[in-house]
Every structure is written in C-alpha cells, then in structure tokens.
Amino acid sequence: MRFSSGLALKNIKRKPFRAFAMAVLVMILSFALFSGAYVIISLQNGLSGYKARLGADIIVTPNSAKGHGTVDDVFLQGITGNYYMAKNDIDKIKNTEGIEKVTCQFFLTSAKASCCSSRVQIIGFDPETDFSVLPWIGETFDGTITDGDIVIGADVSMPADGTIKFYGENYHVAAQLKKTGTGLDQAVYTNMNTIKKMAQSAKALLSLDEFKNADIDTSASAVLIKVRDGYDIGAVTDDINIHVTKVQATSARSMISSVSDGLDGVSGIIGALTAGIWVLSAAIMMAAFAMISNERRKEFAVLSVIGASKKMIFSVTAFEAVLICLSGSAAALLMAVLISFSAAGDIGEMLSMPYLAPDFMTFVIIGSGAVLLPLLTGVLASLLSVLRITKNETGMLLREDA
Amino acid sequence: MLLRAEGISRDYFRNGRDTNFFTAVKKTDLEIEKGSCTAVSGRSGSGKTTLINMLSGLLTPTEGRVLFDGEDIYAMSDSTRAAFRNRNIGIVPQGQTGLKSLTVLENILLPAVMYGNEKDKTEKARKLMKQLSIEDLEDVFANELSGGELRRMAIIRAMINSPRMIIADEPTGDLDDISTEAVMKLFDDCIKNGCAVIIVTHEAECLSLLDVPVTTLRVDDGVIKTQSR
C-alpha cells in the first residue's frame, strides 16, 4: 500500500500537466453531474412546494387580473397586482354547487414610496375560513395572527425592529414563513381586518384607480375553493366560468400541470445535457487513460521485472486515478456549491419556475454522487487500460519495446 | 542445482506472414548452478532474450517448465511469482529501464521498497553506486541520465535485494571500458558469493574480465548449444 501510494504521488508530482489535464476533465464531469442533479431536484422541490401551498382545487380571480398579474404569476413569480371582485360575484361563486370550502384573499401591493418600507405583495386571508395560508404559517408559528400582525415570506428581509411600514403605519412581524421556492416567498400575509385597514390607508394616501369602484370592506382579490368529494373539479370550474361574469376560475390542477409540464421539459433538457456531458467526459476519460497507459507500457514492464505483481501495478494506477479524480471532483463541488448558492434565485427566475434548493441531506447525497461517479469512472477507466496492457506477459512487453 | 529448465520452447504468433507463428527457442534443457557464470551469445533475433525471459519468469514457455530450487516458477500465481522474482532474481533488461518519476536512488531502492525490505539498503545502494561511479547522481531523476548511467543504475537495482541469480541482457552495451570493468568486477563478486549470473552479450572480450569460469551458450536460430566451460 505504502509503495503504491508513494509511487502514485511521485508519478503525479513528476507529471503535473498530465495530472492537471485529467483533473480538469473529471472536474467537468463532476460539475455537470452535480449541477444537473441540483437544478432538477430544486425544480422538483419547487413544484412540490407550489402544490402544497396552493391548497385549493379552484382559484377564482376577477377578469381585471389579466394583464396585471394573475394568481399564477403571484404564486410563481412574485408578480404583484391590485385587482378586486365585488361581493355580488363572490356570493355567486359561493353558491355554486359542489363547493365544500371557500375562502377569500385580498391582495394589496405596497407602494415604492416613503410610506412603505418595501414593495411587496400583501395577501390578506380570513382566519375563520382559510385552508391555504394557515397550515403553512402553522409550520413556523404556533400563535394567533391578531389585528396589526403580519407574517413575512422567506425572501422578505426581517427588519431589525420587528416592524414593517405600509402606507404610513407600522405593522408587527409575528413570524417568518418557511421557503417554498415560489413567488409566495416574496409576499407578506395578514388577516382581513389588517389588510383592509392598509387598503383604506392606501386609498386615502395614493387615491389608486383600483379602489375607485371597489368596496374595500366587501370585495376580494381571489376566491379559493375546495370541491366537495364526488364533484368534478373541471365541471365546477366550468360552472363558475359560465354562470359568474367578470371572473376567471382556474383549476389548481391545470395551473400545476402547466408548471409541471414546463418543469418536465426543462428537467428533460437538463437531464439530457447532463447525460450527454457525462457520456462524453467518460469516453474522453477512457481514451485519455488508455493513451496514458499505452505511454506507460515500458514503466509497467519495468515494475514487473523488479517484482511487482499485476495487483501492485493496478494499485499504483488506481491510486493515481483516485487522487486525480478526487481533486477534480473536490474543485468541481466547491465551484458548483458557490454557483448554486449565489445564483439560486437567478436560476428560478431565469426558468420562471418554482425553485427550492434541496435540504442538507439531499445536498450531501448529490455531492457524494457527483464525487463517487466520476471517481468510479476514472478508476475503472484506468484499471481497464492497465488490464489491457498487463494481460500481455512482461516478456512480450519488453520484446515490443526492444 | 539452482535452476533447471526442462524441455522449454517458445513459439510466437505474428500476423501478416506466410506462417502465422515461429519458434524463437526450440525445445531445450538447461541447468544453472549456484555461484556459476553463464554467457549467452548469438546473432540478433536468434532467441537469446526469449530464453532469458523464460528463465527469469517473465515469459511462459510454450512447452516445458522452469524449476528454481526445485519449484516450478510458472506453476505459481502471478503475485507469488512476482514476490519470488523480487526476492531471488535480479534482472537487467535490454534498453533503458529507469522510472522517470524517480531519482536514481529511488529507482535503485524500488525493488526493496516494493515489499518493505528497504532497511539498511540505502547504504548498500550508495556503496554500489560508488563502485560504478554514479554516486553523484543519487538525487538526479532517471530521465536526466545518459544511456551508460541508466545501465549502471539498472545493474545496481538488480543487485539491491542480493538475489540468488542475476540475469543481465547486454549489461555492458552502453558502457565505456572503465565502467565495463567495474560492472564485471561486481558480477565477479556476486558469483564468488554464490550468486548465479547469466549474461547475454555480443562482447565476448568483456567476459575475460571475470575471474571465474564461464559457461557459454550459443543460441543459433532457437537452438541452444553449450560451447565451452
């Protein structure tokens, strides 16, 4: 063992360019594997978070939401908008057959002005009827959201004094939510009383067009519906679209499936690219190790002449491959980790998809795979090329060389 | 009897010829005594190297067997034969055989280091290097040496484990007269200490530098004839 590792180290030290070139090759392979797997898993996590957070079967928004920012946009990309539907329409929706639960949400976009600390989407929910936001808040906060309290998404900066100003009033941050990888992470949540107070202030301060015809006390931005067992979600959705004017009902399944289809496409492309890079790198590694081993026929013959068994020659080359592959993989992993962390938000934004980085354990598993797979490929490539040479007797190798 | 070859022969296969194989060494018997010197001579391509490769455990005979101290070396596993060779047979192959990533001293000590027997070998290596006038090259890498220096390094490497037999293929080919004399003196000492030495050489005059009787084997077209003792 000491002989094999010692000779392997000396070989690497004396042939630094050869070792460096191989390490770079391994680095490419390792980086492609890690990044590919990391992005695909993050997208899948994002979709899972998105599914979990929607909570509803049907989401209804006013037609005026089109062009501003649909519920889909709010949830996925954090694109905000102020749009409201009248009480009359909400009542019609509530009276549709097949509905088990219904809850309203009120959206308000804070202004980028001195009256507000930051521009975010504020979502008001009704704690009495809510089945979408409260289960999520419950994961990090076990208290009650009282009037004047707000709960902030994972991407909203937690203020030092624990309050955020909206339309001239300070609101107490009661909790911060767990990350979902969706636009929900950039939103602020509060109960209906609080958001309507904010809306009244906004109306008074900014005289927004959206509030001209809206009765703040009775209107809502979105109605979230749970369909009763035995009823078809599509049929209930169609029923609302047909019978309630000026609103757009969308089944959550169709929202998810459009995201899911997009994710399948993106994952497929990333997966194919990763596989392509992997196959190409593995083939280049095989060829490179074969070429290097061919150059070293004489060296292997000499080792055999002085008493090295085939096993010893294998272990010298395997040690070299392990050292080269580990250094290449470690560099790739470091690079991939830095890029993944620093560009996590950008990747999700670029792909316009829910994007949630994997947890630590998954991260360790992906990292181990990205190190082990190139390591195994490198060691195997090296051993196969040595095997090809050492299957000849030493006398034959010396004869070829003479 | 240290080494006995019983009916060994070797065929080589080659492509693109009228006949697809030829016999490099025809069926032959051979005996090598402890503390003896055997010179192998013959024209290029006559089968000299094939013969010594078979005797040193590097090339399996097509027929026959090679017994070292009564043990059939080709019946051993690869690992056992390699360790056996390391312990008992010092080989100086044809051509340049230094490992480029190692210094001269590291190359010389490699057979000892390989099986963890390097204790006290450094002093021996330095003594032998001095005898062959390469003591100043201890820390020089093998790829920086001349042909003659590499050859002397390979000869010392073959002797470092104090083997019971040394097989040297044209050991003085790259050497000047003074180095040749020093090498033959080393072989002489080994033989006097009970080591059997087999030397393949085209240079019959170098054998006259030995102070021991020499058995000469003449290889002619794969046929081996004992010429003189």
Side-chain angles (χ1 to χ4, degrees), chain A residues 2 11 298 307 310 393, chain B residues 60 78 85 96 101 115 118:
Chain A
R2 198 167 61 86
N11 282 340
K298 178 75 174 282
K310 285 180 182 173
E393 284 193 277
Chain B
T60 313
D78 175 71
R85 191 163 55 238
Q96 307 309 338
S101 57
Y115 289 91
E118 64 268 42

Side-chain angles (χ1 to χ4, degrees), chain A residues 46-66:
Chain A
L47 180 67
S48 303
Y50 181 57
K51 279 179 185 169
R53 290 285 65 83
L54 272 179
D57 295 325
I58 300 168
I59 291 152
V60 189
T61 51
N63 283 341
S64 57
K66 284 178 188 166

Side-chain angles (χ1 to χ4, degrees), chain A residues 2-3 7 10-11 14 298-299 302-310 312 393-396 399 402, chain B residues 10 12 22 58-60 78 82 85-86 94 96-97 99-102 106 110 114-115 118 141 143:
Chain A
R2 198 167 61 86
F3 156 75
L7 188 56
K10 280 171 185 161
N11 282 340
R14 285 291 291 171
K298 178 75 174 282
E299 183 187 329
V302 172
L303 284 173
S304 175
V305 160
I306 61 178
S309 61
K310 285 180 182 173
M312 281 174 159
E393 284 193 277
T394 310
M396 295 300 287
R399 186 181 151 83
Chain B
R10 176 71 198 198
Y12 284 121
F22 73 100
L58 297 174
L59 189 66
T60 313
D78 175 71
R85 191 163 55 238
N86 175 273
Q94 237 179 18
Q96 307 309 338
T97 58
L99 296 189
K100 291 171 187 169
S101 57
L102 303 181
E106 286 168 341
L110 198 58
M114 200 172 268
Y115 289 91
E118 64 268 42
F141 283 94
N143 60 339

Side-chain angles (χ1 to χ4, degrees), chain A residues 12-285:
Chain A
I12 289 173
K13 262 170 76 176
R14 285 291 291 171
K15 290 275 185 187
F17 181 74
R18 184 171 78 185
F20 178 75
M22 291 302 292
V24 167
L25 197 61
V26 174
M27 194 175 83
I28 295 168
L29 174 56
S30 207
F31 184 79
L33 285 174
F34 182 86
S35 311
Y38 190 89
V39 171
I40 290 172
I41 290 175
S42 298
L43 288 171
Q44 282 167 348
N45 279 350
L47 180 67
S48 303
Y50 181 57
K51 279 179 185 169
R53 290 285 65 83
L54 272 179
D57 295 325
I58 300 168
I59 291 152
V60 189
T61 51
N63 283 341
S64 57
K66 284 178 188 166
H68 281 78
T70 61
V71 175
D72 198 357
D73 289 336
V74 173
F75 282 5
L76 271 184
Q77 297 170 49
I79 297 170
T80 58
N82 295 331
Y83 40 81
Y84 307 99
M85 63 184 112
K87 182 178 184 302
N88 185 32
D89 294 330
I90 297 169
D91 289 340
K92 279 184 193 165
I93 294 165
K94 284 180 178 173
N95 291 329
T96 306
E97 197 186 338
I99 290 177
E100 184 188 352
K101 284 182 191 171
V102 65
T103 188
C104 293
Q105 290 189 349
F106 192 96
F107 297 167
L108 181 66
T109 309
S110 63
K112 200 175 183 180
S114 59
C115 64
C116 304
S117 302
S118 58
R119 186 177 169 84
V120 290
Q121 178 75 14
I122 308 164
I123 298 172
F125 61 94
D126 180 359
E128 298 293 319
T129 55
D130 180 80
F131 52 84
S132 171
V133 181
L134 279 177
W136 181 29
I137 291 176
E139 290 174 16
T140 45
F141 180 65
D142 55 5
T144 312
I145 310 292
T146 55
D147 290 353
D149 281 349
I150 55 170
V151 175
I152 59 174
D155 290 346
V156 178
S157 303
M158 174 65 99
D161 66 352
T163 63
I164 298 181
K165 189 160 88 172
F166 292 120
Y167 299 106
E169 295 277 343
N170 279 322
Y171 294 91
H172 169 245
V173 179
Q176 186 159 31
L177 297 168
K178 267 167 90 173
K179 196 166 174 64
T180 64
T182 68
L184 298 169
D185 294 329
Q186 293 145 31
V188 168
Y189 301 84
T190 189
N191 64 21
M192 277 296 183
N193 290 340
T194 310
I195 201 163
K196 292 201 169 169
K197 186 183 160 197
M198 287 179 189
Q200 295 291 3
S201 306
K203 192 177 179 181
L205 275 173
L206 305 172
S207 7
L208 296 171
D209 286 347
E210 292 92 334
F211 296 133
K212 273 183 185 164
N213 302 318
D215 177 354
I216 292 173
D217 290 332
T218 57
S219 60
S221 302
V223 177
L224 279 69
I225 296 166
K226 267 243 184 252
V227 171
R228 195 183 297 279
D229 282 348
Y231 281 84
D232 179 60
I233 295 169
V236 176
T237 308
D238 291 345
D239 205 10
I240 295 169
N241 282 328
I242 291 164
H243 295 106
V244 186
T245 54
K246 295 184 279 181
V247 300
Q248 171 73 49
T250 312
S251 74
R253 194 185 298 151
S254 72
M255 283 171 66
I256 289 166
S257 72
S258 72
V259 175
S260 179
D261 289 349
L263 188 137
D264 285 347
V266 173
S267 297
I269 291 167
I270 295 170
L273 275 174
T274 306
I277 293 171
W278 189 81
V279 169
L280 194 68
S281 305
I284 295 172
M285 267 168 84

